[in-house]
Amino acid sequence: MNIKMIARLVRKDCWLMRWPLAAYILAAAAGLAMTVSGGSMARSAGVTLALNVLIGVSFHVMLGPVLGERERKTLAFVMSLPVTPRDAAVAKLAAAFTLFLIPATIAATTLVWLSPIDIPAHMAASHRPLWSHLLGTLGYYALVLGAWMVFFSVVLGAAIVSESVGWTIGVLTGVLFIFGNFVMQILPALHGLRPYLRALGRGEAALPITIACEAAAIAAIVTIILTLQQRKTSFV
C-alpha cells in the first residue's frame, strides 16, 4: 500500500471540496445555533437545517470527489499513478469519510441536543460521576453518526464500485425508501421492539450493542468495496 500517494489523493479531494465543505460547516453551525437559542420555530428550523446538511454533504461527496473523477475524465490519470486499485479506493474512502464527518458531527450535535433523552436533566438528577454522563453523551453521538454512516457507506460503495450516476441514484433511492418507510415508521410500531427502544433511550446495554452493530456494518461494507475494487481491470 502506497501511503504517501494515498495521502496526496486524500488532500487533493479535500482541497477541491474546500469551499463546499466550508459552506456545510457554516450551515451546520447555524442549525446548531438556532436549536440552542430556544423557541419551537428555531428548534424546528435548526433540526431541518441539520438534516439538510447531512443529506446535502452526502450527495455532494458522491457527485464531486467520487463520481466527478469519471465526469472530469481524470480517473484514468489517477490510475496511471503508482497506486493500485485498492490504494485508490482507500484514498476515496478516507477522503469521503473525512469530508462527511466534519460537518456531520456538527449537525449530529443538533440532533443529540433535541434527543428525547434530556441529558442535562439526567446529569443533574443522577448521582453517577461526570465521566459516566460524558460517555453516555458520546454514545448518543456515535449512535446518530453511526446510523447515518451506514447509509452513507452503502451509497458510497455503489458510487465507487459502479462509477455510475444512475446506479448510485438508484441505490440512494432504495435506501431512502427503506429507511423512511421501514426503519422510521414500521419498526417503532412493532411491539417486540418497544423494550429494545426503551432500553436504547435509557442508555442501557442496547446502546453499545447498537453502536457495535453499526460499526460492524460499516466495516463489512468497506471490506466489500475494497475487495470488489481490487478485482477491477478497467478504469476507462
Side-chain angles (χ1 to χ4, degrees):
M1 185 176 289
N2 193 334
I3 301 297
K4 186 176 181 180
M5 286 303 303
I6 290 174
R8 287 184 176 180
L9 291 173
V10 172
R11 286 199 301 270
K12 181 262 297 180
D13 284 342
C14 292
W15 176 255
L16 293 175
M17 278 281 292
R18 64 191 184 282
W19 296 119
L21 179 63
Y24 285 120
I25 291 173
L26 289 175
L32 178 60
M34 286 189 286
T35 303
V36 174
S37 65
S40 59
M41 291 185 64
R43 286 196 298 269
S44 177
V47 72
T48 301
L49 188 54
L51 290 172
N52 285 339
V53 167
L54 288 171
I55 295 171
V57 73
S58 300
F59 270 105
H60 212 136
V61 171
M62 305 299 172
L63 297 175
V66 179
L67 296 173
E69 291 279 14
R70 180 168 288 278
E71 296 298 320
R72 294 189 299 268
K73 302 187 185 303
T74 56
L75 183 59
F77 169 74
V78 171
M79 297 311 302
S80 70
L81 299 173
V83 292
T84 65
R86 187 183 183 89
D87 292 342
V90 168
K92 283 298 174 191
L93 287 167
F97 281 122
T98 300
L99 292 167
F100 170 77
L101 281 173
I102 294 173
T105 302
I106 303 173
T109 306
T110 300
L111 302 179
V112 171
W113 186 274
L114 291 177
S115 168
I117 310 304
D118 192 343
I119 295 173
H122 276 245
M123 292 177 67
S126 175
H127 298 292
R128 290 186 300 166
L130 177 62
W131 67 264
S132 177
H133 292 291
L134 293 176
L135 190 62
T137 303
L138 291 176
Y140 282 107
Y141 263 105
L143 181 69
V144 172
L145 284 174
W148 199 272
M149 281 183 67
V150 172
F151 156 77
F152 179 73
S153 299
V154 171
V155 184
L156 178 63
I160 291 176
V161 174
S162 71
E163 300 171 10
S164 165
V165 175
W167 275 106
T168 303
I169 292 176
V171 171
L172 175 64
T173 303
V175 172
L176 286 176
F177 177 81
I178 293 172
F179 180 80
N181 291 276
F182 184 70
V183 177
M184 296 297 292
Q185 298 184 38
I186 297 176
L187 284 184
L190 296 178
H191 291 285
L193 284 179
R194 288 180 181 176
Y196 160 75
L197 293 175
R198 285 195 296 268
L200 190 65
R202 297 191 190 105
E204 296 175 0
L207 179 60
I209 291 173
T210 304
I211 295 171
C213 290
E214 290 173 345
I218 294 167
I221 294 167
V222 169
T223 301
I224 293 171
I225 293 171
L226 294 177
T227 301
L228 293 176
Q229 197 72 0
Q230 193 171 13
R231 295 180 178 178
K232 279 189 178 181
T233 57
S234 176
F235 297 89
V236 179

